[in-house]
Amino acid sequence: MWGRVIEITTAVWLAISPFVFGVQTDPSILWADQLIALTICVLSGLSFWNPTRHSHVAILLVAIGLVIWGRFADSPPPPAHQNHIVAGLFLMMIALIPNHASLPPLAWQLENTEPAE
């Protein structure tokens, strides 16, 4: 589940990035970043619950939207929108990681278990 933790950490970065880049006076960027961060946190958090364990894949759509918004909002993109592009590309990579990526394959786990005596 380390991928989900990284997604939540990235969402926290998106939430504070308007203040880091000094664009908190622009309400469209401020509120959009807050809403996007909340959406990422919710989707990533839902992945911890077994019935919605694949909800993190929907982060791909959010990430694609971030990249498109960052690229086509202004030309050339200012630093705040460059941040959207980089965060979106990063989230695309992380969202593809399965929840139990750090565990060995199931077949290996079953083969290497010792019988209880």
Side-chain angles (χ1 to χ4, degrees):
M1 297 297 257
W2 62 269
R4 310 300 69 89
V5 174
I6 299 296
E7 290 167 351
I8 292 171
T9 306
T10 307
V12 170
W13 165 251
L14 279 172
I16 64 169
S17 66
F19 303 100
V20 172
F21 291 107
V23 293
Q24 69 270 19
T25 56
D26 184 355
S28 64
I29 293 178
L30 177 66
W31 289 106
D33 279 356
Q34 303 303 315
L35 183 64
I36 291 168
L38 180 64
T39 303
I40 292 168
C41 282
V42 167
L43 290 172
S44 186
L46 282 173
S47 292
F48 285 93
W49 187 37
N50 199 33
T52 58
R53 65 186 172 273
H54 299 296
S55 65
H56 63 93
V57 178
I59 293 175
L60 285 172
L61 298 174
V62 175
I64 290 169
L66 265 173
V67 171
I68 291 171
W69 180 38
R71 174 61 185 99
F72 296 111
D74 291 322
S75 185
H81 287 306
Q82 291 176 18
N83 178 55
H84 294 143
I85 295 170
V86 171
L89 292 173
F90 180 71
L91 283 169
M92 281 187 225
M93 291 188 301
I94 299 298
L96 295 175
I97 297 173
N99 286 342
H100 300 291
S102 58
L103 296 177
L106 183 61
W108 188 86
Q109 290 177 16
L110 294 174
E111 182 178 306
N112 293 315
T113 58
E114 297 180 22
E117 294 184 31

